[in-house]
Amino acid sequence: MTNPTAHNEVTPYALTVETGGDSFPVSDSRPALSWKLPPSVPVQLGFDLQATIGDEPFDFAYEGPHHRFIEWPWRELTSTERVAWRVRVRHVQGVTAWSPWSTFESGLLEPDWVAEWIASPEGSDLPIGERPAYAFTQQFIVDEPFDAARLYASALGVYDVFVNDVRLGTELMPGTQSYDRTLYAQAMDASSALRVGVNTITFVLSDGWFRGRAGAFREQAKWGTDTALRGELRLLSEKSESTVVVATAPGWTVTQTSVTRADLMDGQTTDLSVTPRVVGSAVAGPGAPAVEWSPAPPMRVIEELPPRSITPLTPDTLVVDFGQNASGRIRLANLGDRGVATRLVYGEHLGPDGDLTLTHLDTGAPDGSVVSFSQQDEVISDGSPASVFEPHHTVHAFQYASVHRPGIALDADEITMQVIHTDLTSVGDFSSSDDDLNRLWEVARWSLRGNVVDIPTDCPTRERAGWTGDWQIFLPTAVRLFDVDGFTRKWLQSVRDDQLDDGRIVNISPDASRMRTIPDPGVDFATGSAGWGDAIVLVPWELYQTYGDVQALRDSWVAMTRWVAFALKAAAENRHPSRIEKSPEPQPHEQFIWDGTFHFGEWLEPTPLSEDGTPGPTMPDPMAWAMADKGEVGTAYLYRSVSTLSKIARVLARTDDAKHYADLAERIRQAWRVEFIDDQGRTPSDTQASYVRALAFDLAPASLRSPAAQRLAQHIRTAGDHLSTGFLSTADLLPVLADTGHADVAHRLLWQRTTPSWLGMLDRGATTIWEEWEGVDRNGNAHASLNHYSKGAVIRYLHSHTLGLRQADDSVAWESFLVAPVVPDTLTWAKGHFDGPQGRISVAWEREGSLGTLRVTVPGGSHATLRWGDQVVTAGPGAHQLHATLSGEAGAPPRT
């Protein structure tokens, strides 16, 4: 988490301790330290650190260029210590001034917790989705003034906490994790809420991710049967010494609150007219893993959106349009007379009658039934004009809300959308002379925002699941928009926690079905798919390339090798029936063809529309689809993961492993070439997706790259300048076309308006990217999720090619980069920035006729290659400007 400091042109800045936190950064005992170099420093030669831990001073000096993820150089921190640190760097011209001081604290480490886990004595017999929230309350005395106060807490469930009726902390604490192996705690500043004398502390606990509804089938999460919490409040002295003033223990008063129903997916009911009912004293709670401190930022209310319109449908119903599909909740004032109920129904789409429709989010179950989608809140008024409804134990995804109450009337200032997600730092921007591209960029960015509610989800409505395939596809785009390093490291911990004994990576993490310990043959069959499980290799590698995060590689090394071992074994021991039919005896290369186990494959390739304009079925015959030969996809991803594993081994100085996996990767690539490309550059399936993979993964031999690219371009032209790629390959489609000399084809796809197309979504009112290209068909009917970011990965092209900003092939953490815009004929200017690990990179170009100007700012510690027209310039830190004569699709590589 960055501790913000004023930018200084002559000192290091953006001092960061790599951890999360609420109102202040909170670390474990050995946090890594990072900073950015002043713009005037081309290369750091060394650095000096100073720190004060409690009242104890420390110094450290180092010779070298490293300034990211510096290993903690001093003694291990103990619980609740406060640290101030600063840095100066040495360079060829001397030494910088000291940076401003940056501060953080160590968390309460597991051996030092005094608090016990406690639970309600009342076991709820109510069904899932109908259970109340319980309050745990205790009074305590603070008998003298104090320097600071910290509350440390965690829960099996979702909790709020109040000290003297002051709400502390952030949203939906403690988030979600694989609770049987990892549990994160939170630290909160309670100083301003406390007073000398008698104080009261209250925790409010509900099911949350721990045992609430989960997934498309809305079954109960299987982490445990009883919610529980643990928390303690400590007073801190200036020397970081702490005194416990209250800690959870059996005997605390437990009350059933006014929150009579609390489910993260279904919604919350609050009856403000009832008197809370005491149910008894807290009992000892279930066991839990040792607490850890999350590397991710917390969830917060990021912004509030007013209504764009309020439309009465009947005297008792009105529909509110907030103008943007997002994750969050509604804040409602004007609750009516005492005892009057107001019901809020949340949705993404309006039906022909102007009211919400939710049926597009229903899910067909394996037994043929339909699981109906629902998300709604209810509040019963206490009659006070000051009362406000703001549900803290649920979160929804919506653009619209229908509000139901007898004789209802609302003013615009009485209802607000509170947008809630992980508080990620924005790092990228893009704008151009084309409003459609600008809107597409915003829509894709909003899709990401709606799907980062503590973990990367596929959609924030129907499933809310941490699908591995989705994040490995979108992460290279996400890193251009937000700093997602700590957020992703937190999620990767669950991916590792959930890994099966045979090395398979489960499709969804955290895995609320607990497949690792609770067998499910149906789910087991579809686990271990190429493109999904490969996230355990490809996601940490992206974090390393973007941020220089070596620890993400170290943490995941064992899990990576276990996944690759499973995939290699699956390839060697299984053959698809179609291959057996060709040759009863396997050819030697077939040990590397991964075709005989389940793969999702390309997934969601566009299907032709029916005569009435509605989408055709995604999977006409599910069994035939499941059993189809997807060996091209499986083998391609096997090569990609094994070759990436070789690179990771080199980074980790595992020389023998690096050679082993490099040799293995080449054998897999040769096997792919034997099976899946002919001497004319044709693939057996002859699909757009297969050519994208062949080129993007460097599978096609050099002599066949041009024919394969030409075949890809021909397919697109034959389809009327439409794509037919699916889930796995669409993100790479435009870059592959541009990089092989077909930028004109890429741009016709980008500006295509008929289905399937990105701008076609915008023309039909999309404010987030849809799961299906016809998410809203020509008749206005919704299909599947309307907030599903994977197709939004197209906006990476706007950064990497339209702006032309790409990291150099041999670079890590943007120490060196390339700026080579591919200028479409339809644009007259584009600009943007990327706040990378080295600092801000700014790119702007404009043209008038054939004359073009390129402006680039290179941050301290970096160097760049600028290509503009016929010029190639090497640039160090500072601002640079080039002028050139442009022609055609400027910057596009020539066709070969």
Side-chain angles (χ1 to χ4, degrees):
M1 179 175 178
T2 298
N3 193 325
T5 60
H7 187 287
N8 191 311
E9 293 290 321
V10 296
T11 70
Y13 67 102
L15 275 63
T16 304
V17 55
E18 300 305 326
T19 188
D22 176 13
S23 55
F24 52 92
V26 183
S27 79
D28 59 16
S29 60
R30 300 192 64 85
L33 305 174
S34 300
W35 56 88
K36 294 181 181 179
L37 302 178
S40 59
V41 175
V43 178
Q44 175 187 285
L45 300 179
F47 63 80
D48 301 306
L49 291 175
Q50 288 186 342
T52 301
I53 303 174
D55 60 355
E56 189 178 1
F58 291 87
D59 294 280
F60 180 76
Y62 175 83
E63 300 298 324
H66 303 298
H67 59 95
R68 296 180 304 275
F69 301 101
I70 302 301
E71 293 185 6
W72 185 248
W74 303 298
R75 66 165 175 82
E76 286 194 356
L77 299 175
T78 59
S79 289
T80 72
E81 289 195 294
R82 285 180 285 178
V83 180
W85 68 287
R86 63 179 182 171
V87 62
R88 67 182 181 186
V89 302
R90 297 185 293 279
H91 53 103
V92 291
Q93 296 176 331
V95 61
T96 68
W98 287 101
S99 70
W101 289 94
S102 181
T103 61
F104 67 94
E105 298 179 10
S106 57
L108 182 58
L109 306 180
E110 178 65 32
D112 299 322
W113 281 76
V114 173
E116 301 175 51
W117 284 99
I118 60 174
S120 169
E122 181 176 88
S124 177
D125 295 327
L126 292 171
I128 180 176
E130 298 296 329
R131 298 169 185 146
Y134 290 96
F136 298 74
T137 303
Q138 183 76 308
Q139 287 192 333
F140 60 97
I141 294 174
V142 174
D143 50 18
E144 61 183 10
F146 51 90
D147 295 321
R150 296 290 184 261
L151 175 64
Y152 303 97
S154 189
L156 305 176
V158 160
Y159 75 94
D160 272 340
V161 60
F162 302 84
V163 173
N164 297 326
D165 295 326
V166 177
R167 184 172 178 267
L168 304 183
T170 52
E171 301 296 333
L172 302 172
M173 299 182 295
T176 181
Q177 48 250 292
S178 297
Y179 294 92
D180 55 352
R181 294 199 171 187
T182 299
L183 184 63
Y184 294 111
Q186 292 71 52
M188 292 156 265
D189 185 353
S191 305
S192 61
L194 281 177
R195 53 181 175 249
V196 175
V198 178
N199 295 262
T200 302
I201 184 171
T202 300
F203 290 88
V204 180
L205 179 66
S206 65
D207 286 359
W209 284 277
F210 182 73
R211 67 166 194 178
R213 291 196 188 276
F217 301 134
R218 304 177 83 82
E219 296 174 340
Q220 179 169 315
K222 298 177 181 178
W223 298 111
T225 57
D226 297 304
T227 56
L229 66 90
R230 178 167 70 161
E232 64 186 74
L233 185 63
R234 293 184 172 221
L235 303 184
L236 273 62
S237 71
E238 290 183 355
K239 296 183 179 181
S240 296
E241 296 173 348
S242 63
T243 302
V244 179
V245 293
V246 66
T248 53
W252 279 39
T253 301
V254 181
T255 305
Q256 184 175 315
T257 69
S258 60
V259 180
T260 58
R261 177 184 66 98
D263 186 84
L264 206 65
M265 293 189 80
D266 276 8
Q268 176 174 325
T269 297
T270 300
D271 189 345
L272 298 174
S273 68
V274 302
T275 301
R277 177 178 62 88
V278 175
V279 300
S281 298
V283 298
V291 297
E292 301 178 32
W293 294 93
S294 173
M299 290 170 283
R300 303 187 197 275
V301 175
I302 303 298
E303 64 179 295
E304 297 195 1
L305 301 180
R308 177 170 293 180
S309 65
I310 300 177
T311 304
L313 293 186
T314 72
D316 302 335
T317 303
L318 51 82
V319 170
V320 184
D321 177 5
F322 293 97
Q324 177 61 57
N325 198 353
S327 288
R329 64 180 177 230
I330 280 177
R331 184 181 190 275
L332 181 67
N334 179 9
L335 303 182
D337 296 333
R338 181 177 179 82
V340 170
T342 304
R343 183 165 56 94
L344 303 165
V345 182
Y346 300 80
E348 300 179 305
H349 189 66
L350 299 183
D353 60 355
D355 202 354
L356 290 187
T357 176
L358 300 173
T359 55
H360 63 288
L361 296 170
D362 293 346
T363 301
D367 63 2
S369 63
V370 173
V371 179
S372 296
F373 179 79
S374 173
Q375 51 178 8
Q376 64 179 30
D377 297 332
E378 187 172 26
V379 57
I380 300 170
S381 176
D382 61 358
S384 170
S387 292
V388 172
F389 178 57
E390 192 176 277
H392 289 277
H393 292 260
T394 192
V395 64
H396 306 297
F398 62 104
Q399 177 176 337
Y400 307 95
S402 61
V403 188
H404 304 263
R405 186 169 75 210
I408 188 169
L410 285 177
D411 293 332
D413 60 355
E414 294 174 332
I415 187 167
T416 304
M417 172 194 275
Q418 295 184 324
V419 178
I420 296 172
H421 55 73
T422 298
D423 191 9
L424 302 174
T425 300
S426 178
V427 299
D429 195 16
F430 171 85
S431 59
S432 73
S433 58
D434 189 294
D435 288 340
D436 282 335
L437 290 193
N438 302 340
R439 180 63 183 146
L440 176 62
W441 186 86
E442 286 286 353
V443 163
R445 188 174 185 270
W446 269 107
S447 296
L448 174 62
R449 292 181 62 184
N451 281 288
V452 289
V453 181
D454 200 51
I455 58 169
T457 54
D458 60 327
C459 66
T461 48
R462 185 184 64 239
E463 295 188 55
R464 299 192 190 180
W467 282 89
T468 49
D470 297 60
W471 196 232
Q472 76 89 3
I473 288 167
F474 197 81
L475 181 59
T477 303
V479 297
R480 297 295 193 102
L481 303 175
F482 293 95
D483 180 348
V484 294
D485 185 42
F487 169 82
T488 304
R489 279 193 283 138
K490 173 186 178 294
W491 177 72
L492 278 170
Q493 181 62 54
S494 279
V495 176
R496 296 190 295 267
D497 286 346
D498 297 336
Q499 187 173 24
L500 303 183
D501 291 341
D502 62 5
R504 281 180 296 166
I505 296 297
V506 299
N507 296 325
I508 295 169
S509 281
D511 177 20
S513 67
R514 295 186 68 193
M515 187 180 162
R516 186 169 45 78
T517 57
I518 304 173
D520 185 331
V523 176
D524 185 84
F525 168 78
T527 299
S529 171
W532 276 254
D534 295 287
I536 191 58
V537 178
L538 304 179
V539 168
W541 181 243
E542 183 67 36
L543 297 185
Y544 170 71
Q545 288 188 299
T546 301
Y547 304 108
D549 190 346
V550 179
Q551 192 60 46
L553 304 181
R554 293 192 190 105
D555 290 344
S556 297
W557 173 258
V558 172
M560 295 174 186
T561 57
R562 291 179 61 217
W563 162 253
V564 165
F566 156 75
L568 288 167
K569 186 173 185 288
E573 295 182 355
N574 300 276
R575 297 180 74 207
H576 192 269
S578 64
R579 207 152 273 105
I580 296 173
E581 201 172 302
K582 292 181 194 172
S583 171
E585 291 299 318
Q587 302 299 310
H589 71 275
E590 287 188 46
Q591 65 180 304
F592 300 116
I593 302 299
W594 190 12
D595 64 345
T597 57
F598 174 84
H599 297 299
F600 285 105
E602 185 57 21
W603 190 246
L604 289 184
E605 289 174 288
T607 54
L609 301 183
S610 61
E611 291 184 2
D612 66 356
T614 59
T618 302
M619 293 189 300
D621 183 343
M623 185 55 67
W625 165 82
M627 301 306 295
D629 181 1
K630 304 187 186 76
E632 179 268 314
V633 179
T635 309
Y637 270 94
L638 181 59
Y639 167 73
R640 191 180 183 201
S641 280
V642 173
S643 59
T644 301
L645 200 55
S646 175
K647 299 173 187 175
I648 292 170
R650 286 200 297 272
V651 173
L652 299 181
R654 306 180 71 100
T655 306
D656 292 344
D657 287 328
K659 183 179 185 307
H660 167 70
Y661 287 117
D663 293 345
L664 197 56
E666 189 54 36
R667 295 178 71 185
I668 297 166
R669 178 159 62 176
Q670 292 303 323
W672 186 94
R673 289 172 175 175
V674 170
E675 285 286 328
F676 302 115
I677 196 165
D678 65 18
D679 57 5
Q680 302 299 310
R682 298 281 184 94
T683 64
S685 62
D686 198 29
T687 62
Q688 291 184 23
S690 66
Y691 294 112
V692 170
R693 228 175 337 268
L695 296 164
F697 290 10
D698 197 25
L699 288 160
S703 62
L704 297 179
R705 288 185 64 83
S706 180
Q710 290 171 9
R711 183 63 174 168
L712 170 62
Q714 178 185 336
H715 272 307
I716 293 168
R717 287 191 291 267
T718 301
D721 292 328
H722 289 95
L723 57 79
S724 64
T725 50
F727 188 81
L728 289 176
S729 61
T730 297
D732 290 323
L733 176 58
L734 300 194
V736 159
L737 287 167
D739 292 345
T740 57
H742 298 278
D744 56 335
V745 180
H747 294 156
R748 288 199 296 273
L749 284 176
L750 182 57
W751 269 279
Q752 177 62 259
R753 307 202 85 96
T754 57
T755 302
S757 68
W758 292 280
L759 298 189
M761 293 187 194
L762 304 192
D763 290 343
R764 294 184 186 174
T767 65
T768 47
I769 298 294
W770 298 337
E771 182 175 10
E772 297 183 355
W773 293 106
E774 285 279 304
V776 176
D777 64 34
R778 68 183 67 172
N779 299 316
N781 299 308
H783 304 271
S785 166
L786 301 184
N787 190 352
H788 208 280
Y789 55 54
S790 63
K791 293 179 177 66
V794 66
I795 67 168
R796 173 164 54 100
Y797 183 86
L798 303 181
H799 291 261
S800 62
H801 287 73
T802 308
L803 290 180
L805 179 56
R806 282 164 270 179
Q807 189 169 193
D809 289 341
D810 58 350
S811 172
V812 175
W814 290 84
E815 290 181 341
S816 62
F817 57 90
L818 171 71
V819 179
V822 178
V823 180
D825 290 337
T826 51
L827 292 184
T828 58
W829 62 267
K831 64 180 180 179
H833 71 258
F834 173 56
D835 293 330
Q838 299 289 99
R840 174 163 291 190
I841 303 169
S842 296
V843 178
W845 60 259
E846 59 189 37
R847 68 175 181 179
E848 186 172 349
S850 61
L851 299 179
T853 301
L854 174 67
R855 297 180 179 86
V856 178
T857 301
V858 180
S862 294
H863 62 276
T865 299
L866 314 182
R867 293 180 183 169
W868 187 241
D870 57 1
Q871 300 180 68
V872 179
V873 175
T874 300
H880 306 271
Q881 182 169 296
L882 301 179
H883 302 279
T885 300
L886 308 178
S887 61
E889 300 273 348
R895 296 184 188 176
T896 57

